[in-house]
PDB file of all heavy atoms in Angstrom:
ATOM      1  N   ALA F   1       0.826  -1.214  -0.013  1.00 97.00           N
ATOM      2  CA  ALA F   1      -0.003   0.012   0.001  1.00 97.00           C
ATOM      3  C   ALA F   1       0.865   1.276  -0.011  1.00 97.00           C
ATOM      4  O   ALA F   1       0.548   2.218  -0.752  1.00 97.00           O
ATOM      5  CB  ALA F   1      -0.941  -0.016   1.190  1.00 97.00           C
ATOM      6  N   VAL F   2       1.903   1.240   0.782  1.00 97.00           N
ATOM      7  CA  VAL F   2       2.831   2.457   0.822  1.00 97.00           C
ATOM      8  C   VAL F   2       3.448   2.635  -0.536  1.00 97.00           C
ATOM      9  O   VAL F   2       3.522   3.727  -1.062  1.00 97.00           O
ATOM     10  CB  VAL F   2       3.892   2.282   1.945  1.00 97.00           C
ATOM     11  CG1 VAL F   2       5.006   3.242   1.765  1.00 97.00           C
ATOM     12  CG2 VAL F   2       3.218   2.406   3.343  1.00 97.00           C
ATOM     13  N   THR F   3       3.994   1.557  -1.096  1.00 95.00           N
ATOM     14  CA  THR F   3       4.645   1.662  -2.437  1.00 95.00           C
ATOM     15  C   THR F   3       3.675   2.200  -3.477  1.00 95.00           C
ATOM     16  O   THR F   3       4.033   3.116  -4.230  1.00 95.00           O
ATOM     17  CB  THR F   3       5.196   0.288  -2.877  1.00 95.00           C
ATOM     18  OG1 THR F   3       6.083  -0.194  -1.827  1.00 95.00           O
ATOM     19  CG2 THR F   3       5.882   0.360  -4.192  1.00 95.00           C
ATOM     20  N   VAL F   4       2.467   1.617  -3.557  1.00 96.00           N
ATOM     21  CA  VAL F   4       1.508   2.020  -4.598  1.00 96.00           C
ATOM     22  C   VAL F   4       1.100   3.499  -4.380  1.00 96.00           C
ATOM     23  O   VAL F   4       1.029   4.251  -5.332  1.00 96.00           O
ATOM     24  CB  VAL F   4       0.286   1.058  -4.616  1.00 96.00           C
ATOM     25  CG1 VAL F   4      -0.820   1.595  -5.469  1.00 96.00           C
ATOM     26  CG2 VAL F   4       0.728  -0.296  -5.064  1.00 96.00           C
ATOM     27  N   ALA F   5       0.793   3.858  -3.093  1.00 97.00           N
ATOM     28  CA  ALA F   5       0.364   5.179  -2.813  1.00 97.00           C
ATOM     29  C   ALA F   5       1.458   6.199  -3.212  1.00 97.00           C
ATOM     30  O   ALA F   5       1.157   7.272  -3.797  1.00 97.00           O
ATOM     31  CB  ALA F   5       0.034   5.348  -1.388  1.00 97.00           C
ATOM     32  N   LEU F   6       2.685   5.874  -2.929  1.00 96.00           N
ATOM     33  CA  LEU F   6       3.799   6.815  -3.186  1.00 96.00           C
ATOM     34  C   LEU F   6       4.086   6.871  -4.720  1.00 96.00           C
ATOM     35  O   LEU F   6       4.420   7.911  -5.252  1.00 96.00           O
ATOM     36  CB  LEU F   6       5.064   6.490  -2.398  1.00 96.00           C
ATOM     37  CG  LEU F   6       4.975   6.727  -0.943  1.00 96.00           C
ATOM     38  CD1 LEU F   6       6.196   6.234  -0.209  1.00 96.00           C
ATOM     39  CD2 LEU F   6       4.746   8.200  -0.633  1.00 96.00           C
ATOM     40  N   VAL F   7       3.916   5.731  -5.406  1.00 95.00           N
ATOM     41  CA  VAL F   7       4.076   5.732  -6.884  1.00 95.00           C
ATOM     42  C   VAL F   7       3.056   6.644  -7.474  1.00 95.00           C
ATOM     43  O   VAL F   7       3.345   7.473  -8.334  1.00 95.00           O
ATOM     44  CB  VAL F   7       4.033   4.351  -7.416  1.00 95.00           C
ATOM     45  CG1 VAL F   7       3.775   4.324  -8.947  1.00 95.00           C
ATOM     46  CG2 VAL F   7       5.265   3.535  -7.123  1.00 95.00           C
ATOM     47  N   TYR F   8       1.782   6.475  -7.065  1.00 95.00           N
ATOM     48  CA  TYR F   8       0.719   7.327  -7.617  1.00 95.00           C
ATOM     49  C   TYR F   8       0.887   8.831  -7.216  1.00 95.00           C
ATOM     50  O   TYR F   8       0.322   9.704  -7.901  1.00 95.00           O
ATOM     51  CB  TYR F   8      -0.668   6.838  -7.168  1.00 95.00           C
ATOM     52  CG  TYR F   8      -1.169   5.687  -8.048  1.00 95.00           C
ATOM     53  CD1 TYR F   8      -1.308   4.407  -7.516  1.00 95.00           C
ATOM     54  CD2 TYR F   8      -1.379   5.848  -9.397  1.00 95.00           C
ATOM     55  CE1 TYR F   8      -1.725   3.365  -8.328  1.00 95.00           C
ATOM     56  CE2 TYR F   8      -1.806   4.841 -10.223  1.00 95.00           C
ATOM     57  CZ  TYR F   8      -1.990   3.618  -9.669  1.00 95.00           C
ATOM     58  OH  TYR F   8      -2.405   2.551 -10.458  1.00 95.00           O
ATOM     59  N   SER F   9       1.657   9.046  -6.119  1.00 96.00           N
ATOM     60  CA  SER F   9       1.862  10.443  -5.725  1.00 96.00           C
ATOM     61  C   SER F   9       3.073  11.039  -6.427  1.00 96.00           C
ATOM     62  O   SER F   9       3.433  12.189  -6.123  1.00 96.00           O
ATOM     63  CB  SER F   9       2.016  10.495  -4.213  1.00 96.00           C
ATOM     64  OG  SER F   9       0.909  10.063  -3.542  1.00 96.00           O
ATOM     65  N   GLY F  10       3.718  10.216  -7.239  1.00 94.00           N
ATOM     66  CA  GLY F  10       4.853  10.784  -8.050  1.00 94.00           C
ATOM     67  C   GLY F  10       6.237  10.652  -7.385  1.00 94.00           C
ATOM     68  O   GLY F  10       7.148  11.392  -7.817  1.00 94.00           O
ATOM     69  N   TYR F  11       6.414   9.794  -6.427  1.00 94.00           N
ATOM     70  CA  TYR F  11       7.741   9.719  -5.794  1.00 94.00           C
ATOM     71  C   TYR F  11       8.707   8.781  -6.466  1.00 94.00           C
ATOM     72  O   TYR F  11       9.837   8.607  -5.980  1.00 94.00           O
ATOM     73  CB  TYR F  11       7.572   9.319  -4.304  1.00 94.00           C
ATOM     74  CG  TYR F  11       6.989  10.447  -3.476  1.00 94.00           C
ATOM     75  CD1 TYR F  11       5.630  10.574  -3.235  1.00 94.00           C
ATOM     76  CD2 TYR F  11       7.860  11.385  -2.918  1.00 94.00           C
ATOM     77  CE1 TYR F  11       5.093  11.592  -2.494  1.00 94.00           C
ATOM     78  CE2 TYR F  11       7.334  12.436  -2.193  1.00 94.00           C
ATOM     79  CZ  TYR F  11       6.022  12.527  -1.963  1.00 94.00           C
ATOM     80  OH  TYR F  11       5.526  13.570  -1.189  1.00 94.00           O
ATOM     81  N   GLY F  12       8.357   8.136  -7.530  1.00 90.00           N
ATOM     82  CA  GLY F  12       9.300   7.339  -8.291  1.00 90.00           C
ATOM     83  C   GLY F  12      10.004   6.232  -7.536  1.00 90.00           C
ATOM     84  O   GLY F  12       9.381   5.506  -6.806  1.00 90.00           O
ATOM     85  N   LEU F  13      11.327   6.164  -7.696  1.00 89.00           N
ATOM     86  CA  LEU F  13      12.122   5.124  -7.043  1.00 89.00           C
ATOM     87  C   LEU F  13      12.093   5.209  -5.543  1.00 89.00           C
ATOM     88  O   LEU F  13      12.244   4.226  -4.902  1.00 89.00           O
ATOM     89  CB  LEU F  13      13.536   5.206  -7.535  1.00 89.00           C
ATOM     90  CG  LEU F  13      13.793   4.830  -8.977  1.00 89.00           C
ATOM     91  CD1 LEU F  13      15.265   5.057  -9.387  1.00 89.00           C
ATOM     92  CD2 LEU F  13      13.479   3.358  -9.193  1.00 89.00           C
ATOM     93  N   THR F  14      11.867   6.382  -5.010  1.00 93.00           N
ATOM     94  CA  THR F  14      11.712   6.538  -3.549  1.00 93.00           C
ATOM     95  C   THR F  14      10.568   5.728  -3.023  1.00 93.00           C
ATOM     96  O   THR F  14      10.576   5.268  -1.909  1.00 93.00           O
ATOM     97  CB  THR F  14      11.634   7.992  -3.176  1.00 93.00           C
ATOM     98  OG1 THR F  14      12.726   8.718  -3.718  1.00 93.00           O
ATOM     99  CG2 THR F  14      11.555   8.223  -1.674  1.00 93.00           C
ATOM    100  N   SER F  15       9.540   5.474  -3.859  1.00 94.00           N
ATOM    101  CA  SER F  15       8.401   4.680  -3.500  1.00 94.00           C
ATOM    102  C   SER F  15       8.816   3.255  -3.136  1.00 94.00           C
ATOM    103  O   SER F  15       8.374   2.681  -2.169  1.00 94.00           O
ATOM    104  CB  SER F  15       7.363   4.644  -4.559  1.00 94.00           C
ATOM    105  OG  SER F  15       6.994   5.976  -4.986  1.00 94.00           O
ATOM    106  N   LEU F  16       9.686   2.726  -3.962  1.00 92.00           N
ATOM    107  CA  LEU F  16      10.166   1.371  -3.753  1.00 92.00           C
ATOM    108  C   LEU F  16      10.988   1.307  -2.497  1.00 92.00           C
ATOM    109  O   LEU F  16      10.836   0.327  -1.714  1.00 92.00           O
ATOM    110  CB  LEU F  16      11.037   0.896  -4.957  1.00 92.00           C
ATOM    111  CG  LEU F  16      10.301   0.748  -6.289  1.00 92.00           C
ATOM    112  CD1 LEU F  16      11.318   0.413  -7.416  1.00 92.00           C
ATOM    113  CD2 LEU F  16       9.223  -0.302  -6.156  1.00 92.00           C
ATOM    114  N   ALA F  17      11.811   2.292  -2.257  1.00 93.00           N
ATOM    115  CA  ALA F  17      12.598   2.303  -1.048  1.00 93.00           C
ATOM    116  C   ALA F  17      11.687   2.414   0.208  1.00 93.00           C
ATOM    117  O   ALA F  17      11.928   1.690   1.176  1.00 93.00           O
ATOM    118  CB  ALA F  17      13.584   3.482  -1.067  1.00 93.00           C
ATOM    119  N   ALA F  18      10.718   3.262   0.186  1.00 95.00           N
ATOM    120  CA  ALA F  18       9.807   3.396   1.275  1.00 95.00           C
ATOM    121  C   ALA F  18       9.010   2.157   1.596  1.00 95.00           C
ATOM    122  O   ALA F  18       8.863   1.729   2.724  1.00 95.00           O
ATOM    123  CB  ALA F  18       8.881   4.578   1.060  1.00 95.00           C
ATOM    124  N   GLY F  19       8.538   1.472   0.526  1.00 95.00           N
ATOM    125  CA  GLY F  19       7.835   0.224   0.721  1.00 95.00           C
ATOM    126  C   GLY F  19       8.722  -0.867   1.301  1.00 95.00           C
ATOM    127  O   GLY F  19       8.301  -1.617   2.152  1.00 95.00           O
ATOM    128  N   TRP F  20       9.962  -0.912   0.845  1.00 94.00           N
ATOM    129  CA  TRP F  20      10.884  -1.867   1.355  1.00 94.00           C
ATOM    130  C   TRP F  20      11.191  -1.558   2.873  1.00 94.00           C
ATOM    131  O   TRP F  20      11.269  -2.520   3.665  1.00 94.00           O
ATOM    132  CB  TRP F  20      12.230  -1.781   0.587  1.00 94.00           C
ATOM    133  CG  TRP F  20      13.226  -2.802   1.056  1.00 94.00           C
ATOM    134  CD1 TRP F  20      13.357  -4.088   0.685  1.00 94.00           C
ATOM    135  CD2 TRP F  20      14.212  -2.563   2.056  1.00 94.00           C
ATOM    136  NE1 TRP F  20      14.377  -4.728   1.327  1.00 94.00           N
ATOM    137  CE2 TRP F  20      14.928  -3.791   2.229  1.00 94.00           C
ATOM    138  CE3 TRP F  20      14.632  -1.465   2.779  1.00 94.00           C
ATOM    139  CZ2 TRP F  20      15.999  -3.900   3.126  1.00 94.00           C
ATOM    140  CZ3 TRP F  20      15.689  -1.581   3.689  1.00 94.00           C
ATOM    141  CH2 TRP F  20      16.353  -2.818   3.804  1.00 94.00           C
ATOM    142  N   VAL F  21      11.321  -0.298   3.220  1.00 95.00           N
ATOM    143  CA  VAL F  21      11.549   0.098   4.635  1.00 95.00           C
ATOM    144  C   VAL F  21      10.380  -0.401   5.486  1.00 95.00           C
ATOM    145  O   VAL F  21      10.632  -1.003   6.598  1.00 95.00           O
ATOM    146  CB  VAL F  21      11.750   1.596   4.790  1.00 95.00           C
ATOM    147  CG1 VAL F  21      11.776   1.998   6.207  1.00 95.00           C
ATOM    148  CG2 VAL F  21      13.068   1.987   4.113  1.00 95.00           C
ATOM    149  N   VAL F  22       9.185  -0.188   5.039  1.00 96.00           N
ATOM    150  CA  VAL F  22       8.001  -0.672   5.811  1.00 96.00           C
ATOM    151  C   VAL F  22       8.107  -2.203   5.935  1.00 96.00           C
ATOM    152  O   VAL F  22       7.871  -2.727   7.067  1.00 96.00           O
ATOM    153  CB  VAL F  22       6.711  -0.267   5.135  1.00 96.00           C
ATOM    154  CG1 VAL F  22       5.476  -1.012   5.733  1.00 96.00           C
ATOM    155  CG2 VAL F  22       6.542   1.265   5.159  1.00 96.00           C
ATOM    156  N   GLY F  23       8.436  -2.941   4.887  1.00 95.00           N
ATOM    157  CA  GLY F  23       8.552  -4.353   4.926  1.00 95.00           C
ATOM    158  C   GLY F  23       9.629  -4.874   5.859  1.00 95.00           C
ATOM    159  O   GLY F  23       9.515  -5.980   6.358  1.00 95.00           O
ATOM    160  N   GLN F  24      10.669  -4.105   6.109  1.00 93.00           N
ATOM    161  CA  GLN F  24      11.708  -4.503   7.009  1.00 93.00           C
ATOM    162  C   GLN F  24      11.462  -4.074   8.415  1.00 93.00           C
ATOM    163  O   GLN F  24      11.714  -4.804   9.379  1.00 93.00           O
ATOM    164  CB  GLN F  24      13.038  -3.917   6.518  1.00 93.00           C
ATOM    165  CG  GLN F  24      13.545  -4.443   5.221  1.00 93.00           C
ATOM    166  CD  GLN F  24      13.804  -5.882   5.213  1.00 93.00           C
ATOM    167  OE1 GLN F  24      14.551  -6.426   6.052  1.00 93.00           O
ATOM    168  NE2 GLN F  24      13.143  -6.626   4.342  1.00 93.00           N
ATOM    169  N   ALA F  25      11.021  -2.837   8.624  1.00 95.00           N
ATOM    170  CA  ALA F  25      10.904  -2.243   9.947  1.00 95.00           C
ATOM    171  C   ALA F  25       9.722  -2.758  10.718  1.00 95.00           C
ATOM    172  O   ALA F  25       9.792  -3.074  11.881  1.00 95.00           O
ATOM    173  CB  ALA F  25      10.856  -0.696   9.838  1.00 95.00           C
TER     174      ALA F  25
END
């Protein structure tokens, strides 16, 4: 959800990083 929301908000590659962080933390 974080990755998709950030991609649709225009954050590009940072969306993938943020989604990964959620998945780890």
Side-chain angles (χ1 to χ4, degrees):
V2 166
T3 302
V4 169
L6 291 176
V7 164
Y8 278 115
S9 297
Y11 286 94
L13 290 174
T14 303
S15 308
L16 295 175
W20 182 87
V21 169
V22 169
Q24 295 297 306

